[in-house]
């Protein structure tokens, strides 16, 4: 067995060459503190090269916590009878989005479970596409939608309404683990949605979960799946045990694991967006996530509007910590700064243009 040298692997990443599966597995297995520090420093150098000191921030509106699915890790799963659910009205959604926009976020992420109200009726989705267009107009910000594995027609409605991003996380690219985590859902069907959204010109975000029984090789395979779909935003989130779910007694993984994965994502996707989510530990560990190479803070939630997070339903929300004011002192401490809305708008505009060009070239080839 040949052995890899850390300096070689980091050097390769710094010269923007793709890392192989074994190299990724090697990085994820680092144990020595000084080696891990070198990895994080390299991730920071790469982030700096493409984004300078600028960090983006996303406002999050989880507008329906109803879901027809039964994911084992998720508190919104249909068989969780303990869950107090809500579904926000159009005007509540617009109000939350506007208040986030006023606070200075760069994007609005409209998220819901696979709410049967929507999945049962076409008109509801049509209404949602219209609402997305209204929110985009009213806030003047790019828009992400995370509505689950919607139909082809609905994806098209979103694309036509001007939705910029489609987010739909696989959580794992190990099919056996996927079947365990997302019983009754189709692995290929979910993957296909992202490819279709991309073909329609929407940017895509792919995400994985750490601490659900995945191996380092699974993570390396996820990196290659993310590369294959051309995701513009790639994320990892630590599993948080949820009351009322079959995984409530499982432990949340050590945060070091998530940090190593963030750093590996940065090395693998130096010029892509990589979130540090407030939905895992609230403000705690935000600094560490950024120091591992993340460049977007996600899950900012306006306080006192009755909105919840996904993994952390209430942590730090009403305290006003999941806000722009909450994160700025953390950015300051490590020499980072909040980007302008214009910086973000330009990034999205440029990527969407690139994608349209690629899509046209593909059409020309067939
Ligand atoms: C977050 N809670 O950013 C949100 C969520 C959905 N598009 C994003 C997982 O952490
Ligand atoms: Fe529903 Fe999404 Fe939760 Fe699965 S992860 S139960 S699809 S809200």
């Amino acid at each position: 067995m040949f052995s890899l040298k850390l300096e070689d692997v980091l050097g390769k990443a710094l010269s923007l060459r793709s890392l192989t599966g074994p190299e990724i597995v090697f990085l994820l297995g680092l144990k020595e503190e000084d080696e891990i520090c070198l990895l994080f420093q390299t991730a920071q150098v790469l982030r700096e090269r493409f984004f300078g000191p600028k960090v983006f921030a996303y406002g999050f509106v989880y507008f329906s916590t109803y879901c027809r699915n039964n994911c084992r890790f998720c508190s919104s799963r249909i068989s969780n009878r303990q869950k107090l659910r809500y579904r926000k009205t159009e005007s509540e959604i617009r109000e939350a989005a506007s208040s986030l926009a006023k606070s200075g976020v760069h994007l609005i992420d409209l998220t819901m479970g696979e709410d049967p109200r929507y999945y049962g009726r076409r008109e509801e989705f049509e209404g949602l596409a219209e609402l997305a267009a209204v929110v985009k107009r009213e806030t003047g910000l790019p828009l992400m939608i995370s509505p689950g594995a919607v139909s082809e027609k609905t994806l098209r409605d979103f694309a036509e309404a001007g939705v910029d991003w489609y987010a739909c996380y696989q959580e794992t690219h190990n099919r056996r683990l996927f079947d365990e985590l997302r019983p009754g859902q189709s692995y290929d069907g979910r993957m296909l949605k992202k490819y279709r959204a991309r073909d329609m010109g929407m940017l895509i975000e792919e995400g994985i979960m750490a601490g659900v029984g995945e191996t380092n090789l699974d993570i390396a395979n996820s990196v290659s799946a993310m590369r294959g779909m051309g995701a513009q935003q790639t994320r990892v989130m630590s599993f948080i045990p949820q009351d009322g779910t079959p995984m409530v007694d499982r432990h949340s993984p050590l945060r070091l694991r998530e940090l190593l994965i963030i750093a590996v994502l940065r090395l693998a996707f130096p010029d892509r967006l990589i979130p540090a989510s407030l939905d895992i530990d609230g403000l705690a560990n935000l600094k560490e996530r950024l120091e591992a190479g993340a460049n977007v803070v996600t899950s900012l939630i306006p306080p006192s509007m009755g909105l919840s997070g996904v993994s952390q339903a209430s942590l730090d929300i009403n305290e006003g910590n999941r806000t722009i004011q909450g994160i700025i002192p953390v950015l300051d401490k490590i020499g980072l700064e909040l980007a302008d809305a214009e910086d973000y708008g330009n990034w999205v505009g440029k990527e969407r243009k690139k994608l349209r060009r690629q899509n046209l070239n593909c059409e020309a080839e067939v």
Side-chain angles (χ1 to χ4, degrees):
M1 226 334 243
F2 70 102
S3 66
L4 289 163
K5 279 218 209 55
L6 182 60
E7 298 81 85
D8 294 346
V9 178
L10 299 182
K12 190 172 173 191
L14 284 170
S15 60
L16 306 184
R17 279 174 295 153
S18 307
L19 301 184
T20 62
E23 287 166 339
I24 289 174
V25 169
F26 166 75
L27 293 175
L28 293 170
L30 292 179
K31 296 270 171 328
E32 301 299 326
E33 210 180 308
D34 52 334
E35 295 191 325
I36 294 172
C37 265
L38 269 182
L39 168 63
F40 292 166
Q41 277 164 16
T42 307
Q44 287 176 41
V45 169
L46 285 168
R47 180 191 57 207
E48 169 78 29
R49 199 185 297 170
F50 289 96
F51 299 95
K54 308 260 172 143
V55 170
F56 302 130
Y58 287 4
F60 182 58
V61 183
Y62 191 17
F63 65 90
S64 171
T65 60
Y66 287 87
C67 189
R68 63 177 183 175
N69 287 331
N70 216 14
C71 302
R72 290 171 63 85
F73 56 88
C74 178
S75 125
S76 298
R77 72 199 305 264
I78 190 168
S79 49
N80 186 0
R81 308 248 173 268
Q82 297 176 24
K83 173 114 180 151
L84 290 172
R85 298 180 194 260
Y86 64 77
R87 184 183 290 121
K88 297 295 181 192
T89 64
E90 271 196 35
S91 61
E92 288 167 328
I93 297 171
R94 285 167 55 191
E95 196 188 326
S98 297
S99 124
L100 282 162
K102 267 194 223 105
S103 80
V105 304
H106 304 123
L107 166 137
I108 303 293
D109 175 7
L110 298 181
T111 295
M112 66 172 204
E114 292 194 359
D115 183 344
R117 153 99 50 107
Y118 287 86
Y119 278 78
R121 274 178 272 162
R122 263 231 52 77
E123 317 81 68
E124 295 288 342
F125 273 121
E126 282 164 2
L128 184 55
E130 274 164 39
L131 175 67
V134 171
V135 167
K136 199 175 150 160
R137 197 173 56 239
E138 285 180 347
T139 59
L141 295 175
L143 194 100
M144 174 183 274
I145 194 139
S146 319
V150 296
S151 71
E152 170 94 10
K153 168 80 176 70
T154 296
L155 272 181
R156 176 131 350 249
D157 290 346
F158 290 145
E160 279 166 11
V163 169
D164 299 275
W165 288 90
Y166 174 66
C168 182
Y169 313 145
Q170 205 75 8
E171 316 299 355
T172 176
H173 299 83
N174 170 330
R175 287 170 183 270
R176 191 194 39 77
L177 191 54
F178 178 95
D179 291 343
E180 221 175 281
L181 294 173
R182 293 186 167 275
Q185 296 169 54
S186 156
Y187 180 95
D188 292 313
R190 198 171 176 85
M191 284 299 273
L192 189 66
K193 301 297 174 192
K194 294 170 259 203
Y195 280 90
R196 296 300 297 134
R198 178 194 70 183
D199 296 346
M200 293 173 196
M202 287 185 277
L203 305 179
I204 49 182
E205 181 186 22
E206 176 62 308
I208 54 177
M209 205 173 265
V212 285
E214 77 289 349
T215 62
N216 288 345
L217 182 59
D218 289 333
I219 303 288
N221 290 336
S222 286
V223 168
S224 105
M226 288 165 162
R227 196 179 279 136
M229 67 177 64
Q232 287 82 6
Q233 181 163 302
T234 57
R235 81 155 64 206
V236 55
M237 288 177 70
S238 295
F239 162 74
I240 302 285
Q242 306 289 332
D243 286 338
T245 70
M247 288 170 76
V248 64
D249 293 328
R250 298 266 285 260
H251 291 291
S252 189
L254 290 179
R255 289 301 173 267
L256 178 60
R257 178 159 180 78
E258 184 192 315
L259 298 178
L260 287 169
I261 300 173
I262 290 179
V264 160
L265 289 174
R266 176 55 67 206
L267 268 55
F269 306 111
D271 63 346
R272 311 283 82 189
L273 306 184
I274 299 173
S277 176
L278 298 172
D279 207 19
I280 306 161
D281 302 315
L283 265 191
N285 297 322
L286 172 59
K287 174 171 160 288
E288 286 71 13
R289 292 185 168 96
L290 292 166
E291 286 174 333
N295 71 326
V296 188
V297 183
T298 67
S299 221
L300 279 78
I301 300 180
S304 314
M305 283 192 162
L307 287 161
S308 104
V310 176
S311 302
Q312 291 289 2
S314 60
L315 177 67
D316 270 358
I317 297 179
N318 282 341
E319 294 77 0
N321 287 338
R322 283 164 77 163
T323 57
I324 294 286
Q325 284 105 310
I327 66 171
I328 286 202
V330 180
L331 301 184
D332 277 350
K333 225 185 283 167
I334 49 176
L336 296 175
E337 52 190 71
L338 196 67
D340 298 325
E342 206 190 333
D343 298 328
Y344 185 71
N346 289 341
W347 196 92
V348 167
K350 207 175 71 227
E351 289 298 324
R352 292 200 66 189
K353 214 154 144 202
K354 207 156 77 184
L355 183 59
R356 269 196 299 273
R357 249 196 333 264
Q358 275 167 19
N359 287 345
L360 282 175
N361 287 343
C362 286
E363 275 170 34
E365 272 164 30
V366 280

